[in-house]
Amino acid sequence: MTRDEQGPADVPGTEAAPPPVIVLVQPQLGQNIGKAARAMLNFGLTEMRLVAPRDGWPNPDAGPAASGADIVLANATVFDSVADAVADCSDVYATTVRKRGVTKPVLTPDAAARTIHAAPGRSAILFGPERSGLDSDDVAAARYIVTVPINPEFGSLNLAQAVILIAYEWSKGESLASPPRVDLDPPAPQAELDGMIAQLEDMLEPAGYYHPPERAVVTRRTLRTLLTKPAWNSNEVRTLRGVFRTLARPRQR
Amino acid sequence: MTRDEQGPADVPGTEAAPPPVIVLVQPQLGQNIGKAARAMLNFGLTEMRLVAPRDGWPNPDAGPAASGADIVLANATVFDSVADAVADCSDVYATTVRKRGVTKPVLTPDAAARTIHAAPGRSAILFGPERSGLDSDDVAAARYIVTVPINPEFGSLNLAQAVILIAYEWSKGESLASPPRVDLDPPAPQAELDGMIAQLEDMLEPAGYYHPPERAVVTRRTLRTLLTKPAWNSNEVRTLRGVFRTLARPRQR
């Protein structure tokens, strides 16, 4: 998931920031480490750092939970302290459910993602232990707090969910994840639509649809408005004309 | 999570759309239903509908995985078909990992969230079975496709992750003041559209439109896609049914 090196990357001062490092501080379950790896790789993040994982490292429960994101686990590095884990990073973000007494900028995930993309260096995002979250010292070490705006009556984000929301927001700023675009055909030219409507009117007229005559103008307009609304393309207009032709055929029964 | 009834809600045309319904189509594991409920409630969504859950309902595995989001599970309703589950919804979104052959607008989660907030009626978001995703008929029934832009080399979103990303994006629009909306009639509920399409099919069948039989499934889907596109309101659907009724009458000549 290295970034595209073409384009403005060669111009000094305009280089895009490298992808952020995901730092799991004292993670408890190997399974959650695996799920976090999967969440990261889904959105193109590959660098995981572990600070004093409770059950040591490697952890046999991590692999199966990663659902194929083994590369992230294989490259994960272990540190004794948060300070060591973020030593090469210029900006540190602490994720918390609620802000503590610490006075720091509190960012939403999308604001944090923009800040990370605009940063001149590498950023690190800290995630606390499953049960307790980051402790005050770790929050104090960070430059920014990131808080996911969550239902105040039910806040129950697990580690992998917190990771995926941050990774997802970060990926929006990357071009790697552009959505597949459907080649929508342009709407059919008006003449084609007119032909179709005329065909339908020719069928409806003898069937008595425009009765009584004084309502005919309004009825035609209503039908025209309705059939103009969809912006059908030429193919779709052709399909509908086939439908009408079928209905106009002498009954087979 | 009902919307705030104060303020501009009394002014016609400025009411916020109700929260979308999350529809799990043939979900396999109770655990995943529970995790989806937790993901929903984290971001204020409470209405879950289940279409033909594999292991029946209620499912004892769902509760523990919901981590306290029991209210969502308790209120979940079960349907036999997607058509029944979305019958009262005016806009249907199908979540897919990759686009199929169907030609519909493909939205990112944030674009879908904006569209849902701007919709005049209630929206439903379909999520397919864990292993296979939504089948083509379910996608054909939807008005929009929602695709999470994901790492093209590692796309491995599970059900609850897909739900949480959609719910998260939807929740962003909740805190914002919704812009005044033009007072357009909402699209007809899906059930009305289904009735209209069934009426047309009943006319086309004896006329030989679905010949040869091996093309019938594709032909039905094409027609359905085309007729789902316009988002006609109830009045317009009624008008079209009148057109069809007229064409089905014994010829007067």
Side-chain angles (χ1 to χ4, degrees):
Chain A
M1 281 316 94
T2 55
R3 42 182 312 283
D4 188 347
E5 289 301 325
Q6 295 174 319
D10 295 320
V11 184
T14 64
E15 291 171 50
V21 172
I22 299 296
V23 183
L24 305 187
V25 180
Q26 294 168 35
Q28 300 175 306
L29 296 175
Q31 203 186 37
N32 290 333
I33 300 172
K35 287 178 179 174
R38 175 186 186 176
M40 288 170 61
L41 195 55
N42 266 324
F43 294 103
L45 295 181
T46 54
E47 194 166 348
M48 173 185 271
R49 298 181 185 178
L50 304 171
V51 175
R54 188 190 68 184
D55 300 332
W57 191 255
N59 182 319
D61 294 337
S67 301
D70 305 295
I71 184 78
V72 176
L73 298 177
N75 293 337
T77 47
V78 181
F79 296 85
D80 290 334
S81 68
V82 170
D84 289 346
V86 303
D88 63 337
C89 298
S90 48
D91 276 331
V92 178
Y93 296 73
T95 57
T96 65
V97 175
R98 278 169 203 88
K99 64 167 179 165
R100 319 294 178 96
V102 187
T103 308
K104 291 179 192 285
V106 177
L107 305 178
T108 56
D110 50 342
R114 284 193 298 272
T115 310
I116 289 167
H117 278 291
R122 160 159 297 212
S123 296
I125 309 168
L126 310 181
F127 295 83
E130 290 93 322
R131 198 162 298 273
S132 54
L134 289 169
D135 70 26
S136 301
D137 283 344
D138 293 335
V139 174
R143 180 136 180 244
Y144 301 100
I145 289 173
V146 186
T147 296
V148 178
I150 207 164
N151 182 352
E153 289 158 35
F154 181 80
S156 165
L157 269 191
N158 67 23
L159 179 58
Q161 288 174 328
V163 170
I164 206 168
L165 292 175
I166 305 288
Y168 163 74
E169 285 288 5
W170 174 81
S171 78
K172 284 187 188 174
E174 291 289 288
S175 50
L176 73 88
S178 54
R181 194 169 304 114
V182 174
D183 252 344
L184 284 175
D185 286 332
Q190 195 71 14
E192 289 182 20
L193 202 62
D194 286 344
M196 185 192 84
I197 292 171
Q199 179 187 4
L200 182 60
E201 290 187 335
D202 286 350
M203 293 162 67
L204 289 171
E205 178 77 59
Y209 187 73
Y210 297 110
H211 190 83
E214 61 272 24
R215 296 277 310 151
V217 170
V218 174
T219 306
R220 276 180 206 281
R221 192 180 299 140
T222 302
L223 203 54
R224 191 185 171 86
T225 300
L226 182 158
L227 294 171
T228 310
K229 186 176 180 186
W232 283 312
N233 60 40
S234 295
N235 251 328
E236 291 169 327
V237 168
R238 250 196 312 278
T239 300
L240 275 172
R241 295 197 69 153
V243 166
F244 297 155
R245 216 162 34 240
T246 304
L247 295 176
R249 272 208 294 260
R251 307 284 157 92
Q252 296 179 328
R253 292 179 304 187
Chain B
M1 281 316 98
T2 54
R3 42 183 308 285
D4 188 348
E5 291 301 327
Q6 297 176 316
D10 295 322
V11 184
T14 64
E15 291 172 49
V21 173
I22 299 295
V23 182
L24 306 186
V25 180
Q26 296 168 33
Q28 301 174 306
L29 296 176
Q31 203 187 37
N32 290 332
I33 299 172
K35 287 179 180 174
R38 175 187 186 178
M40 287 171 61
L41 194 55
N42 266 324
F43 295 103
L45 294 182
T46 54
E47 192 167 349
M48 174 185 272
R49 298 181 184 178
L50 305 172
V51 175
R54 188 189 67 185
D55 300 333
W57 190 256
N59 184 320
D61 294 338
S67 302
D70 304 294
I71 183 78
V72 176
L73 297 177
N75 292 336
T77 47
V78 180
F79 297 84
D80 289 334
S81 68
V82 170
D84 289 344
V86 304
D88 63 336
C89 297
S90 48
D91 276 331
V92 179
Y93 295 73
T95 57
T96 65
V97 176
R98 281 172 198 86
K99 66 161 178 168
R100 318 294 179 96
V102 188
T103 307
K104 289 179 194 284
V106 178
L107 305 179
T108 56
D110 49 343
R114 283 192 299 271
T115 309
I116 289 167
H117 278 290
R122 164 159 294 212
S123 298
I125 310 169
L126 310 181
F127 294 84
E130 291 93 322
R131 198 161 297 274
S132 54
L134 289 169
D135 70 26
S136 301
D137 283 341
D138 293 336
V139 175
R143 186 144 176 241
Y144 300 100
I145 289 172
V146 186
T147 296
V148 178
I150 207 167
N151 182 352
E153 288 158 34
F154 181 79
S156 167
L157 269 192
N158 66 25
L159 180 58
Q161 289 174 328
V163 170
I164 206 168
L165 292 175
I166 304 288
Y168 163 74
E169 286 287 5
W170 174 82
S171 77
K172 284 186 189 174
E174 276 301 273
S175 43
L176 303 171
S178 43
R181 196 174 307 112
V182 180
D183 203 7
L184 285 175
D185 281 338
Q190 196 78 5
E192 289 182 19
L193 201 62
D194 285 344
M196 183 193 85
I197 292 170
Q199 178 186 6
L200 182 59
E201 289 186 337
D202 286 350
M203 294 163 65
L204 290 171
E205 179 78 58
Y209 187 73
Y210 296 111
H211 190 82
E214 61 270 21
R215 294 278 308 151
V217 170
V218 174
T219 305
R220 276 180 206 281
R221 194 178 296 145
T222 302
L223 203 53
R224 194 189 167 83
T225 297
L226 182 159
L227 293 171
T228 307
K229 187 175 179 185
W232 283 311
N233 61 38
S234 294
N235 251 327
E236 291 169 326
V237 167
R238 251 197 310 280
T239 300
L240 273 172
R241 295 198 69 151
V243 165
F244 296 155
R245 216 161 34 239
T246 304
L247 295 177
R249 274 208 293 262
R251 310 281 158 94
Q252 298 178 325
R253 288 181 303 186

